[in-house]
Amino acid sequence: MESLRESGHKMKQKSKPARPKATIFDVAEHAGVSIKTVSRVVNKEPNVRQQTRDKVLESVGALRYQPNAAARELSGKRSRIIGLIYENAEEFSYLNDVFNGALGICEPAGFSLLLRPLTLPDPDIADRIRQFATNARVEGVVLPAPMGDLPGVAALLREMRIPFAAITPREADPDEINIHCNDEAASFSLTELLIEQGHRAIGFIKGHPDHGASAKRFAGYRRALKTHWIAYAPRLVRQGYFDFDSGRAATGRLLDLAEPPSAILASNDDMAAGAIFEARERGLAVPGELSIAGFDDTRFSTRIWPPLTTVRQPIIQMAQTAAALLIDKLNGRAPAAPRTTFECEVVIRDSTAPLC
Amino acid sequence: MESLRESGHKMKQKSKPARPKATIFDVAEHAGVSIKTVSRVVNKEPNVRQQTRDKVLESVGALRYQPNAAARELSGKRSRIIGLIYENAEEFSYLNDVFNGALGICEPAGFSLLLRPLTLPDPDIADRIRQFATNARVEGVVLPAPMGDLPGVAALLREMRIPFAAITPREADPDEINIHCNDEAASFSLTELLIEQGHRAIGFIKGHPDHGASAKRFAGYRRALKTHWIAYAPRLVRQGYFDFDSGRAATGRLLDLAEPPSAILASNDDMAAGAIFEARERGLAVPGELSIAGFDDTRFSTRIWPPLTTVRQPIIQMAQTAAALLIDKLNGRAPAAPRTTFECEVVIRDSTAPLC
DNA sequence: GTTTCGTTTGACAGCGCTGTCAGATTGCTG
DNA sequence: CAGCAATCTGACAGCGCTGTCAAACGAAAC
């Protein structure tokens, strides 16, 4: 019990005024126990008498002890680092929420979050991810859309035996952590709203084909038409790529039609903004002559004029859940529900109006 | 030379198929040198014969050796982690660029970037930063605006002896890394543009008083007026806070004036968007009846209608420089120019027009 | 009072790397 | 060719923590 620290831990009384950080030895000495017991208490391991636990905790507090992460990792093989691999797209408000949600869970849980932006498409994506995972020694990875949609990414992570949580509508193995929201239902509701407003010719701008959400949103649109006995017209559907310009271009083609739609549903807000822009360029009043709706409720949607009718996803919550489930898994606790669905909410603003 | 690895490093031939990662011992054995020599080569230390160096490098390649970061940190006291403390504001495109710029430099240099969002104002900011720095064991910190403007933050970091690079117009100690752009000059140019377009009554919406950029931008506005012999009218200046709503409100008050301005210069794009929104609500044509200019050239500024005349800062480059100079400092190389100024660029779009 | 078994605690050996310092080698000078 | 400094290389001791395993302890069972 006495010869702790015989190796001269705190010998170095350098000029630096900052007192040397307390180590596990200091705490052990202070509490009158062995370092192993301190380790047990700090790591919330069982089989420590309550009285001992309290004593140690007191010392921890008194010395402001904080475990050294590097030593922990070296010794215990756990880095407590989670990677966040995302597409480095222009639209960022989605990612902002993802960052905040994930960070908010990681920090209190003692995990660090490491960012890894990727520019898609990327032929070397596998190498890059492999390198990231190795270099950054991440224990697990969060995969916000559309990263989780990419077939290779999930497979690679699985092969590397790195647990991951994917935020994506893609169907996944039942034991994989998957967070998504009911894009299809939300799209259905939004389309239904337009139908109830009297619109019959409703244009639809599809999202990027590589994003799982695109198909779901399109499916919701079609189901709504069907439910309301409106014939599906392929000419009213255009391919977009989730960006402003493609939304604008698709809108242009829709408006050039002999019988243009009286409403356009864009698969995301960026494209909806492009639609509004195009309408304005053509002198069309929104929503007077053309109703426009988007998807995502980016910060954006209340900044433009008119404020956008759109669909809000609980991104922050979704990211929180993804991080939480992933951490559970890393900590060896079986996730309660590896596959979690969230509800979207239609937000009605001024860019849509009854057909008159 | 023989008894390397006597401690049985690779004894564990567990069921896991992944081959055990090569350690410095493996490389040493393979190259027929001591681990210390491998360490020297890997860390690019001097005093290794070229021939030896080549031999080691070859083994490193053959075994795909990657140093264990935790061991390095534990032993060498270097974490190779840089913190990025930022205000968790709604406007994110600025941060997107900061992240990308910093990340792009950190990664090739072997550094990780750890995020720490903070919601301002925050009475416990000092504790939070202290905890972040300790827990995350960051070696250095990047401080994008407005973090670098906060008087307490820089002082705290200095006290903790954590090197930092501040992206802020605030005047700093000459040996502190400071990255900024000439806000004042850009504001001057932008104001001058409006004056040249015939505007005389030019409204100005100030930025958040805690942001260093606010004062600079205002100063540029005043200097331009002075240069062109236009009297400064305090009634044309309103306080904003860099957010959409404050921009909108300030614009409302400006337009309520008996003699409203024919142009409004907002200290950032968000407020300019608010100004455009307000103008539209009042049925004022932009730029026909009111010219509006912003600042920052967010992604936003080409999405709204009309596209915004604004000022573009080379954020990515600024963040890159901040990270690069910080890493230089951490690596013991004296930064070339700790205080670096970048040029802004006025981007003329459609929200401003000659007064007719 | 003793045995038994589960609970609590501690000693100690690494984890993979770098810093220190001493020893080996090389290149010059006289 | 000795003598000496400059250059290279290696042995070894940690860095602070966790995993392993054995010892100590305590309560229940005999």
Side-chain angles (χ1 to χ4, degrees):
Chain A
M1 178 54 50
E2 240 349 73
S3 67
L4 292 174
R5 304 194 122 290
E6 78 293 347
S7 47
H9 276 271
K10 53 166 64 158
M11 294 281 118
K12 41 189 164 186
Q13 199 67 35
K14 288 281 176 60
S15 58
K16 227 174 182 180
R19 67 174 172 310
K21 282 195 61 178
T23 73
I24 199 171
F25 285 89
D26 300 316
V27 179
E29 197 171 6
H30 188 273
V33 298
S34 76
I35 58 165
K36 182 64 216 186
T37 299
V38 176
S39 174
R40 288 202 181 86
V41 172
V42 170
N43 291 296
K44 300 186 178 38
E45 282 173 30
N47 296 339
V48 177
R49 208 184 311 158
Q50 187 57 43
Q51 185 188 336
T52 313
R53 197 177 289 275
D54 292 342
K55 203 168 52 180
V56 171
L57 250 19
E58 200 182 332
S59 298
V60 165
L63 300 177
R64 297 173 176 283
Y65 169 66
Q66 298 213 294
N68 176 312
R72 261 188 165 169
E73 179 180 346
L74 181 58
S75 174
K77 313 268 161 291
R78 294 206 50 184
S79 65
R80 287 158 198 275
I81 295 176
I82 286 180
L84 178 60
I85 303 178
Y86 61 96
E87 180 185 11
N88 188 12
E90 282 235 317
E91 172 50 45
F92 220 64
S93 55
Y94 164 72
L95 284 175
N96 183 15
D97 286 351
V98 172
F99 291 169
N100 283 335
L103 228 36
I105 294 296
C106 286
E107 228 187 278
F111 278 77
S112 293
L113 191 72
L114 233 43
L115 265 36
R116 183 50 167 108
L118 247 29
T119 304
L120 298 179
D122 182 347
D124 305 324
I125 189 167
D127 286 342
R128 259 184 257 277
I129 291 180
R130 193 169 273 135
Q131 172 147 3
F132 172 66
T134 313
N135 262 353
R137 73 253 196 223
V138 298
E139 277 188 67
V141 171
V142 174
L143 246 30
M147 274 298 156
D149 294 325
L150 269 39
V153 176
L156 176 62
L157 256 18
R158 223 175 287 128
E159 178 206 316
M160 296 180 74
R161 291 162 192 274
I162 296 180
F164 60 92
I167 304 177
T168 164
R170 177 180 55 76
E171 298 299 329
D173 291 359
D175 63 328
E176 266 177 30
I177 300 174
N178 176 279
I179 313 292
H180 60 272
C181 67
N182 53 358
D183 281 280
E184 200 271 351
S187 181
F188 177 89
S189 302
L190 193 50
T191 309
E192 199 164 49
L193 168 73
L194 292 171
I195 294 173
E196 280 163 2
Q197 284 186 145
H199 297 282
R200 287 298 171 271
I202 303 175
F204 188 87
I205 305 177
K206 286 168 135 180
H208 196 294
D210 289 350
H211 292 222
S214 300
K216 303 274 177 186
R217 292 176 188 179
F218 183 52
Y221 162 77
R222 290 204 60 173
R223 183 162 65 87
L225 291 186
K226 199 169 183 181
T227 302
H228 290 269
W229 303 94
I230 299 175
Y232 165 61
R235 67 190 171 85
L236 289 180
V237 176
R238 301 288 148 153
Q239 184 67 54
Y241 298 90
F242 278 146
D243 64 299
F244 181 87
D245 288 330
S246 73
R248 192 179 162 190
T251 303
R253 273 173 281 131
L254 247 20
L255 295 178
D256 284 340
L257 250 29
E259 294 172 26
S262 65
I264 291 179
L265 179 45
S267 291
N268 79 345
D269 285 354
D270 237 27
M271 296 198 296
I276 289 181
F277 196 98
E278 180 67 21
R280 187 167 308 283
E281 287 272 293
R282 292 174 179 237
L284 277 177
V286 177
E289 296 167 89
L290 180 69
S291 283
I292 293 173
F295 222 103
D296 286 348
D297 193 31
T298 58
R299 206 174 67 81
F300 218 81
S301 52
T302 54
R303 287 350 186 210
I304 55 176
W305 211 94
L308 205 56
T309 294
T310 184
V311 172
R312 172 156 51 222
Q313 302 178 41
I315 308 279
I316 296 183
Q317 278 181 57
M318 290 167 72
Q320 285 175 337
T321 306
L325 291 180
L326 182 60
I327 289 176
D328 277 354
K329 187 166 192 174
L330 294 177
N331 284 340
R333 288 191 297 270
R339 189 166 172 78
T340 313
T341 306
F342 282 82
E343 295 296 316
C344 298
E345 176 193 359
V346 174
V347 182
I348 303 175
R349 297 211 183 88
D350 304 338
S351 67
T352 50
L355 187 65
C356 42
Chain B
M1 178 57 48
E2 239 351 72
S3 68
L4 291 175
R5 304 193 122 289
E6 77 291 349
S7 47
H9 276 270
K10 53 166 64 156
M11 295 281 118
K12 43 189 164 187
Q13 199 65 33
K14 287 281 177 61
S15 58
K16 223 173 182 179
R19 67 175 173 309
K21 282 195 60 178
T23 71
I24 197 170
F25 285 89
D26 301 316
V27 178
E29 198 171 6
H30 187 274
V33 298
S34 75
I35 58 165
K36 181 64 217 186
T37 298
V38 176
S39 173
R40 286 201 182 88
V41 172
V42 170
N43 291 296
K44 300 184 177 41
E45 282 173 29
N47 296 338
V48 178
R49 207 184 312 156
Q50 188 58 42
Q51 184 189 338
T52 313
R53 196 176 290 275
D54 292 342
K55 204 169 48 180
V56 171
L57 250 19
E58 200 181 329
S59 299
V60 165
L63 301 177
R64 297 172 175 283
Y65 169 68
Q66 296 213 292
N68 177 311
R72 258 189 168 169
E73 178 180 347
L74 181 58
S75 173
K77 313 269 160 290
R78 292 205 53 183
S79 66
R80 288 160 198 273
I81 294 175
I82 287 180
L84 178 60
I85 303 178
Y86 61 96
E87 180 185 12
N88 187 11
E90 284 235 317
E91 172 49 45
F92 219 63
S93 55
Y94 164 71
L95 284 176
N96 184 13
D97 286 351
V98 172
F99 291 169
N100 283 335
L103 228 36
I105 294 296
C106 286
E107 227 188 277
F111 278 77
S112 293
L113 191 72
L114 232 44
L115 265 36
R116 183 51 168 108
L118 248 29
T119 304
L120 299 179
D122 182 349
D124 305 324
I125 188 167
D127 286 342
R128 260 183 256 278
I129 291 180
R130 192 170 274 135
Q131 172 146 4
F132 171 65
T134 313
N135 263 354
R137 73 256 195 219
V138 299
E139 277 189 66
V141 172
V142 174
L143 248 30
M147 274 299 155
D149 294 326
L150 267 40
V153 176
L156 176 61
L157 257 16
R158 221 175 288 128
E159 179 205 316
M160 295 180 75
R161 292 163 193 272
I162 295 181
F164 60 92
I167 303 177
T168 164
R170 177 181 53 77
E171 298 298 331
D173 291 0
D175 62 329
E176 267 177 28
I177 300 173
N178 177 278
I179 314 292
H180 60 271
C181 68
N182 53 357
D183 281 282
E184 200 269 351
S187 180
F188 177 89
S189 302
L190 193 50
T191 310
E192 200 164 48
L193 168 73
L194 292 171
I195 294 172
E196 281 163 2
Q197 286 186 145
H199 297 281
R200 286 300 170 271
I202 302 175
F204 188 88
I205 306 178
K206 287 169 136 178
H208 196 295
D210 290 350
H211 293 222
S214 299
K216 303 274 177 185
R217 293 176 188 180
F218 183 53
Y221 162 78
R222 291 205 57 174
R223 183 163 64 86
L225 293 186
K226 200 169 180 180
T227 302
H228 291 269
W229 303 93
I230 299 175
Y232 165 62
R235 69 190 171 84
L236 289 180
V237 176
R238 301 287 148 154
Q239 183 68 53
Y241 298 91
F242 278 146
D243 64 300
F244 182 87
D245 289 330
S246 72
R248 192 179 162 191
T251 303
R253 272 172 282 130
L254 247 20
L255 295 178
D256 285 339
L257 249 31
E259 295 172 26
S262 65
I264 291 179
L265 180 44
S267 291
N268 78 344
D269 285 352
D270 236 28
M271 296 198 297
I276 289 181
F277 196 100
E278 180 68 21
R280 186 164 311 278
E281 286 271 291
R282 292 173 179 237
L284 277 177
V286 177
E289 295 169 271
L290 179 69
S291 283
I292 295 173
F295 222 103
D296 285 348
D297 193 32
T298 58
R299 205 174 67 82
F300 217 81
S301 52
T302 54
R303 286 352 185 208
I304 55 176
W305 209 95
L308 206 57
T309 293
T310 183
V311 172
R312 171 157 51 222
Q313 302 179 41
I315 309 279
I316 296 183
Q317 280 182 55
M318 289 167 73
Q320 285 175 337
T321 306
L325 292 180
L326 182 59
I327 289 176
D328 278 353
K329 188 166 190 172
L330 294 177
N331 284 340
R333 288 191 296 272
R339 190 167 172 78
T340 312
T341 306
F342 284 83
E343 294 297 315
C344 299
E345 175 193 358
V346 174
V347 181
I348 304 176
R349 297 210 183 87
D350 304 339
S351 67
T352 50
L355 188 64
C356 44

